């Protein structure tokens, strides 16, 4: 019942909690249960425990996608045009970008959306750090995450290195939300 196991070097992997070995993995099977630090590859790794599975990963992108899918699976409402109209009406009364951010996040909470709709939300704030927060907070709400880099990041910069850096920052933000 322990779900997914992935690592750069699959053997040996030892989970440690509070400095003590509590779980080990051999031949892709786990014994024991705990959340700790993955040892066994050159990069370190991450351990994510969800209700149904324990995920061992040294790949931040894979972890980002697992977290995003878990969020998406929990959503029940869709973002609609009237939601955007209501949000824009609320934002008309606010001039500072830092005050707009919580309003945007509140209005879009719990709603599935596509990349084009997220791109519109991102354009509602001016500072890059706020754009990254909107992207990170709503990445898991996307029904078409495979289009994220082209549809959401593409219009923000023509520079491949800047888009790559934004994707890395966004991945770190998504992975730190758990």
């Amino acid at each position: 019942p322990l779900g997914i196991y992935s690592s750069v070097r699959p053997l040996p992997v030892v989970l440690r909690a509070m400095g003590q070995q509590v779980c080990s993995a051999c031949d892709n099977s786990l014994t024991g249960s705990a959340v700790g630090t993955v040892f066994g590859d050159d990069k370190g790794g991450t351990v994510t425990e969800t209700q149904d599975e324990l995920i061992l990963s040294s790949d931040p992108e894979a972890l980002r996608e697992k977290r995003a899918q878990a969020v998406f699976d929990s959503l029940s409402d869709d973002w609609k045009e009237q939601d955007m109209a209501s949000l824009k009406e609320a934002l008309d009364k606010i001039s500072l970008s830092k005050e707009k951010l919580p309003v945007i996040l509140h209005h879009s909470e719990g709603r599935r959306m596509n990349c084009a709709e997220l791109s519109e939300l991102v354009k509602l704030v001016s500072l890059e750090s706020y754009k990254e927060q909107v992207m990170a907070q709503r990445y898991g709400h996307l029904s078409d995450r495979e289009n994220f880099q082209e549809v959401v990041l593409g219009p923000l910069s023509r520079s491949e290195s800047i888009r790559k850096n934004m994707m890395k920052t966004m991945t770190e933000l998504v992975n730190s939300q758990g």
Side-chain angles (χ1 to χ4, degrees):
L2 287 177
I4 295 173
Y5 169 76
S6 68
S7 179
V8 173
R9 286 187 353 212
L11 297 175
V13 173
V14 178
L15 300 183
R16 299 189 182 270
M18 307 294 271
Q20 297 183 357
Q21 179 178 337
V22 293
C23 180
S24 63
C26 296
D27 300 325
N28 291 343
S29 61
L30 294 177
T31 58
S33 64
V35 175
T37 304
V38 177
F39 297 93
D41 63 36
D42 297 342
K43 298 179 183 176
T46 58
V47 178
T48 305
E49 185 175 29
T50 67
Q51 183 176 356
D52 300 321
E53 57 193 1
L54 184 64
I55 304 164
L56 309 177
S57 177
S58 59
D59 179 7
E61 288 81 17
L63 178 59
R64 178 194 68 221
E65 293 305 315
K66 283 301 274 179
R67 287 181 184 269
Q69 190 60 48
V71 168
F72 187 80
D73 291 344
S74 72
L75 302 175
S76 58
D77 293 330
D78 291 325
W79 183 255
K80 299 177 181 79
E81 285 184 41
Q82 65 224 36
D83 295 322
M84 181 57 93
S86 172
L87 173 59
K88 285 182 176 181
E89 185 178 316
L91 292 177
D92 282 344
K93 303 168 189 154
I94 301 170
S95 59
L96 296 176
S97 194
K98 71 178 182 178
E99 294 173 357
K100 290 180 179 183
L101 178 63
V103 174
I104 292 167
L105 295 176
H106 175 74
H107 274 75
S108 59
E109 182 67 33
R111 304 245 165 77
R112 292 181 296 255
M113 60 184 64
N114 61 43
C115 286
E117 292 164 334
L118 176 60
S119 183
E120 285 185 55
L121 291 179
V122 168
K123 291 174 186 173
L124 296 174
V125 291
S126 56
L127 294 176
E128 184 176 319
S129 63
Y130 296 152
K131 291 178 186 298
E132 289 170 346
Q133 286 182 45
V134 172
M135 289 186 289
Q137 293 284 325
R138 296 300 169 254
Y139 185 77
H141 296 219
L142 295 174
S143 59
D144 59 342
R145 285 190 299 275
E146 66 278 1
N147 299 323
F148 180 80
Q149 290 191 42
E150 178 184 335
V151 176
V152 180
L153 292 182
L156 296 178
S157 176
R158 291 180 184 222
S159 166
E160 180 67 29
S161 63
I162 290 174
R163 289 194 311 264
K164 194 178 229 183
N165 191 35
M166 288 180 84
M167 190 67 186
K168 180 182 177 198
T169 301
M170 200 273 308
T171 295
E172 291 169 356
L173 288 170
V174 169
N175 288 345
S176 69
Q177 291 174 12

